[in-house]
Amino acid sequence: MSAAKTSKKKSNPLVPRMMIDGFERDIQESYIRERAPEILETLLIDRTMTAADSKGRVHRIRWCTDDYGFAADAEIDPVLISKPDVKIIRPRVDKRIDDQRKRSVDRAEVFTPSWVCNKQNNLVDQAWFGRKTKLFNREITDKKTGRNTWQSTFDPEKQIEFPKGRTWEDYVCANRLEVSCGEAPYLTSRYDTTTGDPIPVEQRIGFLDRKLRVISERVGADRKKWLVLAEKALKSCYGFEWQGDNVFLARENMLYAVLEAYYWKYNEAKVPLTVQRRFAEIISWNIWQMDGIKFVVPNTCKDEVVEIPNLDGSVERKVLPCKGCKSGKVDEHNGVRCRVMDWEINKPVLFMPPFEFKTIEG
């Protein structure tokens, strides 16, 4: 097939594999590129570095790890990671044990079991609702084995009750942030990141999952309204991560969580491609690559050269390290400050300590 004909090929919406041959934990990048290459490109874009480039070049998230044999500062190539029959990026549970241990030692990467994510998310919801009962699930501990799990309270004949003064729409739009998000298990629990076990849509416990459940309970057959509210839910879910493969996996999980919830609700997967593109755009802003200690794009702090005049008229050049790296003060780092989208004003803002949005000056 010629390049000209290939470029004219129409893209198709992504379809969750659960409706074809079962749940797919490890999403196939080759499938995304085949059906909707523009979505793969969007899921890889680095919004901060793209905005900071004076020449207008589009930047992709970087590996920020040498686990894959590529330079840590190299950008992730969509063509490279989407070759048929060659799987490069994998969830942590599918990586070799030695690779998992290395990442734990090098980057303190330790993923949280889903039952722990659920317990902590339940605490957040209990505070928001002002009560402990009649929420999303019931926590269970097996007295014999000590195994922890949960049972969803989902009932097709009932809806979650909301407290006086707060509506279900308020809940859908309430902002949630997962710090050092890895593959985003606190935002969406498509699978247990420690065991790899798939989690059915109605049993999922992530913040985004809970929002989508509320939407599904409150919206009837109006598919368009469901998608509009799902967009609002996505806009309210944020997360940052150092390692590029995790950033990408988190973004994939967020997109597929919505597609799978839509299929679970309506037993069809016809989410229009234009809507899927919009979802991918939102996710690419809300899940970003950042050094969670310095609050800058990883590895962007740099030495600065200053010129010091001498009494004899000569100039002495001195190389000074990044003030923040030397002092440990977050606000003194000279790396590239991360941009995220404040969807209430629909403008990019800086994400600054302590976990706040700040208007971009100039």
Side-chain angles (χ1 to χ4, degrees):
M1 184 179 288
S2 66
K5 290 182 179 180
T6 302
S7 64
K8 293 181 180 180
K9 183 180 178 180
K10 291 185 178 180
S11 297
N12 295 306
L14 303 180
V15 176
R17 301 294 295 178
M18 58 165 41
M19 71 173 296
I20 301 173
D21 54 5
F23 175 79
E24 180 185 36
R25 176 179 65 241
D26 190 2
I27 298 165
Q28 303 299 308
E29 287 74 43
S30 58
Y31 172 77
I32 300 178
R33 186 163 177 252
E34 176 189 355
R35 295 184 68 89
E38 66 276 26
I39 288 181
L40 182 61
E41 288 280 359
T42 300
L43 293 177
L44 284 169
I45 194 171
D46 186 314
R47 295 291 180 183
T48 296
M49 297 304 291
T50 297
D53 193 303
S54 60
K55 297 181 180 179
R57 186 174 81 83
V58 175
H59 288 255
R60 303 185 184 101
I61 53 180
R62 294 172 297 146
W63 289 105
C64 286
T65 175
D66 57 6
D67 295 348
Y68 294 87
F70 307 111
D73 285 337
E75 296 182 2
I76 300 178
D77 186 337
V79 176
L80 180 66
I81 66 170
S82 60
K83 292 181 179 179
D85 304 320
V86 179
K87 188 61 183 173
I88 294 180
I89 294 182
R90 297 176 180 272
R92 176 182 170 87
V93 71
D94 292 327
K95 293 182 174 74
R96 297 183 309 167
I97 297 299
D98 288 345
D99 291 338
Q100 293 183 32
R101 289 171 179 158
K102 182 177 183 296
R103 289 165 74 98
S104 295
V105 172
D106 293 349
R107 294 290 173 200
E109 181 185 83
V110 180
F111 283 9
T112 309
S114 292
W115 71 268
V116 176
C117 297
N118 179 55
K119 183 178 286 289
Q120 293 179 310
N121 283 358
N122 281 346
L123 290 173
V124 174
D125 277 339
Q126 287 168 17
W128 194 91
F129 278 82
R131 68 174 191 271
K132 295 183 178 181
T133 59
K134 297 183 180 180
L135 295 179
F136 294 89
N137 59 70
R138 179 172 58 89
E139 298 172 24
I140 303 171
T141 300
D142 190 301
K143 294 181 179 179
K144 292 183 179 180
T145 64
R147 181 173 179 267
N148 294 286
T149 183
W150 66 89
Q151 179 60 48
S152 173
T153 59
F154 173 74
D155 184 335
E157 302 299 324
K158 297 180 181 179
Q159 298 176 343
I160 291 176
E161 299 175 7
F162 283 81
K164 185 177 180 180
R166 286 187 164 180
T167 67
W168 64 271
E169 291 97 336
D170 293 335
Y171 184 82
V172 169
C173 296
N175 284 343
R176 297 289 185 264
L177 167 70
E178 181 177 356
V179 301
S180 301
C181 68
E183 296 167 19
Y186 283 90
L187 294 177
T188 178
S189 59
R190 295 183 61 248
Y191 54 88
D192 189 308
T193 55
T194 60
T195 66
D197 295 336
I199 299 176
V201 171
E202 66 273 19
Q203 292 285 349
R204 292 179 182 176
I205 51 82
F207 286 128
L208 175 61
D209 303 322
R210 296 169 188 234
K211 292 169 183 283
L212 295 175
R213 171 178 162 179
V214 168
I215 294 169
S216 293
E217 287 181 348
R218 298 284 175 163
V219 176
D222 191 338
R223 290 160 168 77
K224 185 175 181 181
K225 183 177 181 180
W226 193 99
L227 293 171
V228 169
L229 288 165
E231 177 176 318
K232 292 184 177 181
L234 279 174
K235 286 179 176 179
S236 70
C237 293
Y238 295 84
F240 62 81
E241 165 65 25
W242 172 289
Q243 296 176 132
D245 60 340
N246 283 347
V247 175
F248 178 64
L249 287 166
R251 290 177 174 183
E252 281 187 326
N253 283 331
M254 294 280 282
L255 177 60
Y256 271 72
V258 178
L259 300 183
E260 290 163 355
Y262 181 84
Y263 170 66
W264 173 75
K265 168 67 176 176
Y266 296 111
N267 198 30
E268 67 171 48
K270 295 181 180 179
V271 177
L273 181 59
T274 52
V275 176
Q276 293 192 16
R277 287 172 178 164
R278 177 60 174 162
F279 287 169
E281 178 188 4
I282 293 167
I283 293 166
S284 70
W285 276 107
N286 282 27
I287 307 296
W288 72 98
Q289 192 165 29
M290 186 177 80
D291 182 325
I293 296 176
K294 300 178 181 179
F295 281 72
V296 298
V297 175
N299 300 327
T300 56
C301 286
K302 56 189 179 297
D303 294 337
E304 296 180 339
V305 178
V306 297
E307 295 184 346
I308 303 174
N310 295 319
L311 294 176
D312 60 4
S314 63
V315 176
E316 178 184 354
R317 290 188 176 182
K318 194 170 183 178
V319 178
L320 300 176
C322 167
K323 289 183 179 179
C325 293
K326 186 176 181 180
S327 68
K329 296 180 179 180
V330 179
D331 59 348
E332 292 185 349
H333 287 288
N334 61 16
V336 180
R337 293 290 177 185
C338 294
R339 300 185 184 210
V340 298
M341 185 67 75
D342 182 344
W343 297 105
E344 290 188 4
I345 61 174
N346 211 37
K347 290 183 179 180
V349 291
L350 296 180
F351 187 75
M352 302 286 285
F355 304 115
E356 293 179 346
F357 290 163
K358 184 178 180 181
T359 304
I360 301 173
E361 298 179 1

